[in-house]
Amino acid sequence: MTDGPAVDSRPTKIMYVAEATAHGGREGYVTSQDGQLDLKVAMPPQLGGDGNGTNPEQLFAAGYSSCFHNALILVGNREGYDLTGSTVSAKVGIGPNQQRGYGLAVALSVSLPVLDPGLASKLVDAAHEVCPYSNATRGNIDVTILLG
C-alpha cells in the first residue's frame, strides 16, 4: 500500500486534548495530567539501556495500534460489518536517518478473520484514511500495513 498525495488532515475542531509530561527523557518517567499514566521509561537494551521500563516506541505502537483498530471498527460498522475478533498489532522501529538524527518506521499487522481478503483490504484502506495516526504519519515515516 502506498500513500497518495498529501491531503490537509488537520482537525477543524479540537474535541479532546491529552497532556503528558516526561521527566528525565528516555531514562526517567512519564505522567499524564489526569493521573491515568505514570510509567517508568528506560532505554531498550538494543539502544544501550537496561530495558527496565517502557519506551517511547512501545507507547507509540500502543497508541497507533489502538487508534487504527478503532478506525477499522468505525469504517466496518459504517458498512454494516461486525469486526468482533479483529486485531491490529504495531511494530515501531527506530534507527539513524540520513540527517544525522533518528527516524521511525511502522508495520501494522491487521487480522480480520471473518472477512474475505478483498473486503478486508477495502476496510483497511478506508481505516488508513480515517485514522489520526495514519494522517499524522503520512508522508513523514514509512508505514507498512500487512493484512493476515
Side-chain angles (χ1 to χ4, degrees):
M1 164 180 291
T2 59
D3 293 326
V7 176
D8 187 355
S9 61
R10 294 175 292 187
T12 56
K13 175 183 173 185
I14 301 296
M15 298 170 61
Y16 169 73
V17 174
E19 184 178 344
T21 303
H23 311 264
R26 285 181 169 268
E27 294 291 339
Y29 63 99
V30 292
T31 58
S32 61
Q33 183 188 22
D34 64 3
Q36 294 296 313
L37 187 68
D38 188 349
L39 299 171
K40 181 179 179 348
V41 180
M43 294 277 274
Q46 299 87 338
L47 298 178
D50 63 16
N52 290 326
T54 191
N55 59 65
E57 293 72 37
Q58 288 175 331
L59 295 170
F60 190 78
Y64 202 161
S65 63
S66 63
C67 189
F68 193 91
H69 195 210
N70 197 72
L72 187 61
I73 291 167
L74 175 74
V75 298
N77 287 341
R78 285 180 182 169
E79 298 291 324
Y81 299 103
D82 178 5
L83 301 185
T84 300
S86 63
T87 61
V88 175
S89 298
K91 292 181 181 180
V92 175
I94 184 172
N97 64 21
Q98 294 180 354
Q99 289 77 39
R100 300 182 64 188
Y102 290 86
L104 300 175
V106 174
L108 297 175
S109 296
V110 180
S111 174
L112 291 164
V114 297
L115 300 179
D116 71 76
L119 177 58
S121 181
K122 176 185 167 193
L123 293 178
V124 166
D125 288 345
H128 193 45
E129 295 301 315
V130 170
C131 176
Y133 276 70
S134 292
N135 287 328
T137 60
R138 188 172 287 112
N140 298 309
I141 67 173
D142 290 335
V143 176
T144 304
I145 302 175
L146 308 168
L147 184 56

